[in-house]
């Protein structure tokens, strides 16, 4: 299954501009990410977000949530 080698995802909110968000993911290796990025699942997932994209720029963010298995077991 695509994405099974993903280690963690992070949803981050800008420390200075709360309307700006960043989503990151950590993978076993770069090729695993490239393989997942090429799947229909990935394109469906990011489709709605792509409509909101603006020009890339360097921003500082605070991590709001980490979606690792260990974090899910201890959350809420």
């Amino acid at each position: 299954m695509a994405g099974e080698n993903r280690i963690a995802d992070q949803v981050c909110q800008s420390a200075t501009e709360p309307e700006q968000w960043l989503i990151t993911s950590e993978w076993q290796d770069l090729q695993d990410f490239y393989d997942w990025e090429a799947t229909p699942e990935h394109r469906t997932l990011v489709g709605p977000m792509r409509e909101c994209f603006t020009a890339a720029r360097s921003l500082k963010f605070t991590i709001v949530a980490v979606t690792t298995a260990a974090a899910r077991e201890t959350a809420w």
Side-chain angles (χ1 to χ4, degrees):
M1 181 173 129
E4 65 189 31
N5 293 322
R6 182 176 18 216
I7 296 169
D9 294 315
Q10 295 178 331
V11 178
C12 307
Q13 187 176 24
S14 171
T16 58
E17 298 181 44
E19 292 184 10
Q20 294 183 349
W21 292 82
L22 172 71
I23 299 171
T24 67
S25 59
E26 183 179 353
W27 292 81
Q28 291 290 331
D29 62 47
L30 186 57
Q31 189 59 51
D32 290 336
F33 170 74
Y34 286 147
D35 292 347
W36 177 76
E37 188 179 39
T39 65
E41 174 190 10
H42 175 262
R43 287 189 295 279
T44 299
L45 180 66
V46 300
M49 291 185 293
R50 290 195 186 276
E51 296 175 15
C52 301
F53 285 177
T54 58
R57 52 192 163 133
S58 178
L59 302 169
K60 293 177 177 78
F61 289 86
T62 301
I63 297 170
V64 175
V66 179
T67 59
T68 62
R72 284 193 301 270
E73 291 173 8
T74 60
W76 306 287

